[in-house]
Amino acid sequence: MEQLANLCKTVWDWLNGFATYMSTNSILSGTIATLFAAFLIFVFKEYVKKPPNFSGVFEIECKTLNSAYNPYINLISYYTLILICDNNVIEGHIEKTRDIENNGLIREYIGKNRSIGEVSGIIKRNYLRPNHASLNIKINGEKREYTILLYFRKVNTDVMHGKFWSTAADSSGNVKWKRNVF
């Protein structure tokens, strides 16, 4: 029991001496404080607020609300995305699977009739606010190439709602993102 008391006293004396030394040595105390802060940020970033995983197959639904070409207004287009996510960088491919026109006509795109394209994007990771995601999509359409920009204010890998802008008839509208088929 006496040995334990001596060990505790020795540790206490060492900690007191170290604390006194740290309070008088600003370079060492600043270095240790910086390393501790970096460790806390790492733990928060990797374990508390993990990066979202956008690797996999996803479906998006784009509803056109504004367009320079009136027949596109209220057009609903569906796409399948196959993505790979590396931390905050997203890459992959996209295929247009169907359209639902204003009159309710459903146009399915199968096999060689599908418009295909490439996807690139980023996730802006925020520590205290929701993450943001932006995807730039280049599609080889039936008549010409066009670009779609998707923007999501709150990132979730299962279901998200956002906005889209497209160079196809200068259209824009709402987009839904799901891991499952619509």
Side-chain angles (χ1 to χ4, degrees):
M1 189 61 114
E2 188 176 319
Q3 288 177 334
L4 181 60
N6 286 338
L7 178 64
C8 288
K9 183 178 181 334
T10 304
V11 169
W12 180 255
D13 291 342
W14 184 84
L15 287 174
N16 269 339
F18 184 72
T20 303
Y21 178 73
M22 289 294 294
S23 66
T24 59
N25 189 334
S26 62
I27 293 174
L28 184 60
S29 62
T31 302
I32 289 176
T34 302
L35 290 173
F36 184 69
F39 175 75
L40 287 178
I41 290 171
F42 171 78
V43 167
F44 184 80
K45 188 174 159 184
E46 295 300 322
Y47 295 102
V48 176
K49 192 170 182 185
K50 297 177 187 176
N53 181 8
F54 283 105
S55 294
V57 179
F58 299 90
E59 302 290 327
I60 61 170
E61 173 190 272
C62 296
K63 181 171 184 179
T64 304
L65 300 177
N66 302 304
S67 177
Y69 183 60
N70 281 345
Y72 282 0
I73 295 177
N74 292 321
L75 173 73
I76 301 173
S77 298
Y78 294 88
Y79 300 86
T80 299
L81 292 96
I82 300 173
L83 303 175
I84 296 173
C85 181
D86 182 20
N87 199 7
N88 65 336
V89 177
I90 303 169
E91 293 180 344
H93 290 87
I94 187 168
E95 293 187 10
K96 186 173 189 177
T97 56
R98 74 178 188 259
D99 286 329
I100 300 177
E101 297 180 4
N102 295 334
N103 58 8
L105 177 68
I106 298 173
R107 183 175 293 139
E108 296 281 340
Y109 301 106
I110 300 171
K112 67 178 183 169
N113 295 324
R114 287 188 174 179
S115 298
I116 61 171
E118 295 182 8
V119 180
S120 62
I122 60 164
I123 302 167
K124 182 174 187 264
R125 293 185 58 202
N126 295 315
Y127 297 109
L128 302 176
R129 295 175 292 144
N131 298 330
H132 301 252
S134 299
L135 282 84
N136 185 43
I137 302 169
K138 295 180 183 177
I139 296 183
N140 297 318
E142 289 178 43
K143 297 182 181 177
R144 69 175 188 90
E145 289 185 359
Y146 61 97
T147 302
I148 301 174
L149 173 66
L150 304 179
Y151 178 75
F152 299 98
R153 187 168 220 115
K154 291 183 180 178
V155 173
N156 178 335
T157 59
D158 293 326
V159 177
M160 294 189 301
H161 299 275
K163 300 288 182 189
F164 83 89
W165 296 268
S166 176
T167 59
D170 295 326
S171 56
S172 64
N174 295 329
V175 63
K176 291 181 193 175
W177 168 293
K178 288 175 62 174
R179 197 173 276 276
N180 307 354
V181 176
F182 283 94

